[in-house]
Amino acid sequence: MTKKNAPTMKDVAREAGVALGTVSKVINGIPVSEEYRSRVLDAIRTLHYEVNTYARGLKTQKTNLIALIIPNTINPFFASFADYIEGALYQRGLKLLLCCADGIPEKEIAYLNLATQNKVDGIVALTYSDVGKYIAKDIPMVVFDRFFDNHIIPRVASDNFAGGCMAVEKLLELGCTHPVYIRFHSVFPGESDKRMDGYLHACKKHGLEPDYLNMEDCPEMLDYMRDFLERHKRADGSLTFDGVFAHTDYHGYHFLRLLRGQGYRVPEDVQIIGFDGIRQFGGEQEDLFVSSICQPVKQLAEKCVEILVAPDRSMVPSLTLLPVSYQYGGTTKREG
Amino acid sequence: MTKKNAPTMKDVAREAGVALGTVSKVINGIPVSEEYRSRVLDAIRTLHYEVNTYARGLKTQKTNLIALIIPNTINPFFASFADYIEGALYQRGLKLLLCCADGIPEKEIAYLNLATQNKVDGIVALTYSDVGKYIAKDIPMVVFDRFFDNHIIPRVASDNFAGGCMAVEKLLELGCTHPVYIRFHSVFPGESDKRMDGYLHACKKHGLEPDYLNMEDCPEMLDYMRDFLERHKRADGSLTFDGVFAHTDYHGYHFLRLLRGQGYRVPEDVQIIGFDGIRQFGGEQEDLFVSSICQPVKQLAEKCVEILVAPDRSMVPSLTLLPVSYQYGGTTKREG
DNA sequence: CTGTTAGCGCTTTCAC
DNA sequence: GTGAAAGCGCTAACAG
């Protein structure tokens, strides 16, 4: 039980000496005589009146609440995405219901159900479950980075394919002749799978033999990396590759440490490019963990919200891909 | 306008052939005959009924919504705090309204006002403004890490004083003889100011002359660090200190890079201990940026929520300090 | 234990 | 223009 004594519209009406409906009109910007309008406004001020969201929500079936469903807020990528979503929402007078589902299907579904009825006005989801079937078709929704059978829900993502190509092109440009790809993917299909397609495409284009580690993400990640490294050592200890495109900065960073731990020099012997553009301590001015194909997180968030609140839902593209960009992060050679 | 056709309690009552009130009772766990209860439950299932939060909120003046006001979600410390708050809330059937105020007083106040009326059931705040005066006294609130004139609001924080002492003690234990403190503080007073008190206390206790850099946080941070370093060089280039307690991991990490950049060896020549316990990429299994006095973020979040929902608000302590702990992070010598 | 009923505070016709 | 009145879906008395 919160404030029981908050002033209501009725109080404002009495204070202003007008009818209840008039107060409502003033608040909702419906034409009212200047005289009445200011009297109402005065009353609102003296009473410190604020409309009750719940009464309004009950009446209008609108809440101004948008649910953001992401795995967590610990991962810096999700964390900054959440931050930018909040900013975009705030600008539009919307509020953010943060739902960290931890990749747990039950929790995702619970949060989805919460939204299924009239609890939120829209959903931005980065989920693992195939949310399509759990959600009412009539609540606005946009999916980030994933795709589902249900192709009705608009999707937003980075141009992962172009990013994959870009990573390879960049490595070649910086002098690599044998770039490998190290991928640890989620069991759930998503746009990020296209990074591999981009890698393969670029290899083909440049007449290179693709060479990659392609595993499901798992706790034994480091073992697989170590194993991959062993398999690529020549008798003299030198490596058969000189460039690494890592599926994410996270993986790139761990591979970097592995290499340096074994005495290989980065970027002299091997250059590494990751993906995401995650910065140390999250600060925009801070260094990257590794050179990286950066996702435009802020723009992605902005686009998700823009699509979510689009007045004409029939006009929104089913897929929106935003461009990525390469940034130096210490694990590649400086450009000529 | 969301779902206009969602089933209501009335529909469930009709479907189950019982009265409206009975449905309400089943939903709210009020005793009802087994027969009726299951009929209602069945009806709920077939209709996919879910209670309308707004109608309920209007009636009960409860929303099950808790606002978390933090500067942002980019800073890994805030990000993990938010994550754990979400978890603690979810367990209790509460939802999280995420408010990133960016340290902008207007935004903080806007969010606080939002909560002032009957929009949320409680607030967890880590704000810069003195929120005390903007908030209705009758809405449950707990402040993390800050303190205000208004001492009525319960506060939760890490034991920063003990942490400051611990950092010094640890450095001494690991062989340091001259530990300095590097502090870049917020303009707003908070519990973290006690880290300095702890440092001074420990120095005194061990008969050491305190030696520190004490600045307001600013973009020129690196310049001040560089300058501090210069001032502590002997003619032969060696340093007059051999241990550094940094106000946060962030500052410790930057000082570490500065030292290494100038050829000093860490932890051989200088040992560094930061504060917070921030991990690379946020993962609990990941490495720290520097050896650190770690804040128990999860426990802090849990405690905030626990206090917020405490049935008897008159029983909650006005200040709750949780213990910190030292963890090795590569910038100190391994313990004997 | 069950059904009926009076609102919670607001928006929105609909007469005036 | 303005005011009166009918609910939105639910909970919590209160009778039965």
Side-chain angles (χ1 to χ4, degrees), chain A residues 280-281 285-287, chain B residues 182-184 213 215-231 233 249-262 272:
Chain A
Q280 292 167 357
F281 295 100
Q285 307 310 320
E286 298 296 313
D287 287 336
Chain B
I182 293 194
R183 172 169 189 246
F184 289 90
L213 174 62
M215 303 289 305
E216 206 172 282
D217 223 340
C218 61
E220 299 78 25
M221 176 190 77
L222 278 176
D223 296 329
Y224 287 111
M225 285 187 179
R226 219 172 273 122
D227 183 58
F228 180 86
L229 189 55
E230 276 325 305
R231 294 202 316 270
K233 283 182 184 171
D249 290 344
Y250 173 75
H251 298 110
Y253 182 70
H254 277 287
F255 200 69
L256 164 70
R257 304 208 340 177
L258 187 60
L259 285 170
R260 288 197 172 148
Q262 297 199 13
I272 301 177

Side-chain angles (χ1 to χ4, degrees), chain A residues 52 73 79 86 111 257 287, chain B residues 52 73 79 86 111 118 257 287:
Chain A
N52 179 317
T73 216
E86 194 276 346
Y111 269 128
R257 305 209 337 177
D287 287 336
Chain B
N52 180 316
T73 217
E86 193 275 346
Y111 268 129
N118 40 13
R257 304 208 340 177
D287 288 337

Side-chain angles (χ1 to χ4, degrees), chain B residues 138-152:
Chain B
D138 49 1
I139 164 166
M141 176 158 176
V142 34
V143 172
F144 176 66
D145 205 67
R146 311 262 170 221
F147 47 65
F148 305 110
D149 295 342
N150 182 340
H151 278 194
I152 294 156

Side-chain angles (χ1 to χ4, degrees), chain B residues 63-313:
Chain B
T63 66
N64 286 337
L65 244 190
I66 302 292
L68 171 64
I69 306 181
I70 49 176
N72 61 66
T73 217
I74 301 271
N75 177 308
F77 184 76
F78 299 147
S80 60
F81 184 66
D83 197 275
Y84 289 126
I85 288 281
E86 193 275 346
L89 254 23
Y90 182 77
Q91 268 184 259
R92 294 170 171 80
L94 298 169
K95 271 142 269 151
L96 174 57
L97 186 73
L98 180 65
C99 312
C100 298
D102 302 317
I104 301 167
E106 298 77 49
K107 206 173 170 190
E108 290 187 346
I109 293 166
Y111 268 129
L112 249 8
N113 277 337
L114 188 158
T116 289
Q117 300 286 330
N118 40 13
K119 277 117 182 156
V120 297
D121 286 353
I123 302 174
V124 177
L126 198 173
T127 57
Y128 295 121
S129 322
D130 183 345
V131 294
K133 47 175 172 273
Y134 296 106
I135 203 66
K137 307 114 238 70
D138 49 1
I139 164 166
M141 176 158 176
V142 34
V143 172
F144 176 66
D145 205 67
R146 311 262 170 221
F147 47 65
F148 305 110
D149 295 342
N150 182 340
H151 278 194
I152 294 156
I153 303 175
R155 292 143 50 206
V156 171
S158 289
D159 192 339
N160 285 273
F161 182 84
C165 293
M166 189 185 289
V168 175
E169 306 270 355
K170 203 74 204 178
L171 286 170
L172 296 180
E173 191 183 319
L174 294 170
C176 291
T177 57
H178 191 163
V180 297
Y181 177 38
I182 293 194
R183 172 169 189 246
F184 289 90
H185 65 272
S186 155
V187 283
F188 305 95
E191 284 294 330
S192 62
D193 296 338
K194 307 268 175 70
R195 289 172 202 174
M196 171 122 175
D197 301 338
Y199 168 77
L200 295 175
H201 175 86
C203 281
K204 189 167 181 185
K205 178 176 160 195
H206 293 278
L208 297 166
E209 186 67 30
D211 184 357
Y212 52 85
L213 174 62
N214 187 11
M215 303 289 305
E216 206 172 282
D217 223 340
C218 61
E220 299 78 25
M221 176 190 77
L222 278 176
D223 296 329
Y224 287 111
M225 285 187 179
R226 219 172 273 122
D227 183 58
F228 180 86
L229 189 55
E230 276 325 305
R231 294 202 316 270
H232 286 77
K233 283 182 184 171
R234 297 202 190 85
D236 65 355
S238 69
L239 266 14
T240 60
F241 61 83
D242 56 4
V244 177
F245 169 37
H247 193 59
T248 69
D249 290 344
Y250 173 75
H251 298 110
Y253 182 70
H254 277 287
F255 200 69
L256 164 70
R257 304 208 340 177
L258 187 60
L259 285 170
R260 288 197 172 148
Q262 297 199 13
Y264 296 102
R265 294 174 310 158
V266 178
E268 294 82 354
D269 300 337
V270 182
Q271 300 188 61
I272 301 177
I273 292 183
F275 204 107
D276 281 349
I278 292 178
R279 287 164 195 286
Q280 293 168 356
F281 295 99
E284 281 183 44
Q285 306 310 319
E286 299 296 312
D287 288 337
L288 293 167
F289 280 95
V290 293
S291 293
S292 182
I293 304 299
C294 303
Q295 298 202 52
V297 190
K298 183 171 184 177
Q299 286 82 347
L300 288 165
E302 179 63 39
K303 189 52 100 178
C304 285
V305 172
E306 186 185 314
I307 286 179
L308 201 61
V309 303
D312 185 357
R313 306 266 311 154

Side-chain angles (χ1 to χ4, degrees), chain A residues 82 100 129 141 168 208 211:
Chain A
C100 299
S129 321
M141 175 158 177
V168 175
L208 296 167
D211 184 358

Side-chain angles (χ1 to χ4, degrees), chain A residues 63-97:
Chain A
T63 67
N64 286 337
L65 244 191
I66 302 292
L68 171 64
I69 307 180
I70 49 177
N72 62 66
T73 216
I74 302 271
N75 177 309
F77 184 77
F78 299 146
S80 60
F81 184 67
D83 197 275
Y84 289 126
I85 287 281
E86 194 276 346
L89 254 23
Y90 182 77
Q91 267 185 260
R92 294 169 170 80
L94 298 170
K95 271 142 270 152
L96 173 57
L97 186 72

